[in-house]
Amino acid sequence: MGTEQSFYDFMLPIYAKLNIELVNNTIERTRVNNYPRTDKLMEHGLHRDHDYHVKTTLLFLNTCDGYTYFKEPDQKVYSVANTAVHFDSFFMHQSTTATNVNRRLTLQVNYGAF
């Protein structure tokens, strides 16, 4: 796309659909996670996106057997295309690969403060 501004402009309607209000929130990070298919489901290890409280929206871009695991509550959220999960980026979580598609794709946005 060329510039940060054009990426931001591209993302504006997506932020709107995800109910991310840009007037009062700061986008910390936006990224696409591209996990290639593996023969066995692989977990990427528990982590926090930040060591402080920031909102996170994780949009699942395709349907597959991969998931995001949250330590508390002990819960797996499976990748179903065009669904999203909202959480505090300080919460311990982990992602996985997928075995039934060529790649697992998610869009992650960290923004604002709690």
Side-chain angles (χ1 to χ4, degrees):
M1 273 185 240
T3 68
E4 289 181 28
Q5 184 62 43
S6 61
F7 178 73
Y8 178 78
D9 292 340
F10 173 80
M11 289 299 301
L12 280 175
I14 297 170
Y15 295 147
K17 282 283 188 188
L18 295 173
N19 294 319
I20 297 172
E21 296 178 21
L22 298 177
V23 174
N24 297 320
N25 290 307
T26 302
I27 302 294
E28 293 272 334
R29 175 174 60 187
T30 298
R31 71 181 194 179
V32 173
N33 298 303
N34 176 6
Y35 304 113
R37 186 190 69 79
T38 54
D39 292 332
K40 290 173 46 177
L41 204 67
M42 299 182 68
E43 296 177 336
H44 295 127
L46 286 169
H47 68 279
R48 292 181 170 103
D49 288 345
H50 296 284
D51 58 358
Y52 49 92
H53 297 276
V54 176
K55 296 175 184 178
T56 297
T57 295
L58 185 63
L59 175 64
F60 302 110
L61 300 177
N62 64 337
T63 299
C64 63
D65 62 351
Y67 59 86
T68 299
Y69 169 75
F70 294 93
K71 185 174 180 181
E72 290 190 28
D74 181 21
Q75 179 182 12
K76 292 179 183 176
V77 178
Y78 285 90
S79 288
V80 177
N82 300 314
T83 63
V85 62
H86 307 276
F87 60 97
D88 183 333
S89 66
F90 188 77
F91 291 171
M92 295 292 286
H93 62 283
Q94 70 182 0
S95 58
T96 69
T97 60
T99 65
N100 64 343
V101 294
N102 286 335
R103 66 192 78 254
R104 178 177 180 230
L105 295 169
T106 62
L107 174 70
Q108 176 183 329
V109 183
N110 302 112
Y111 61 99
F114 275 91

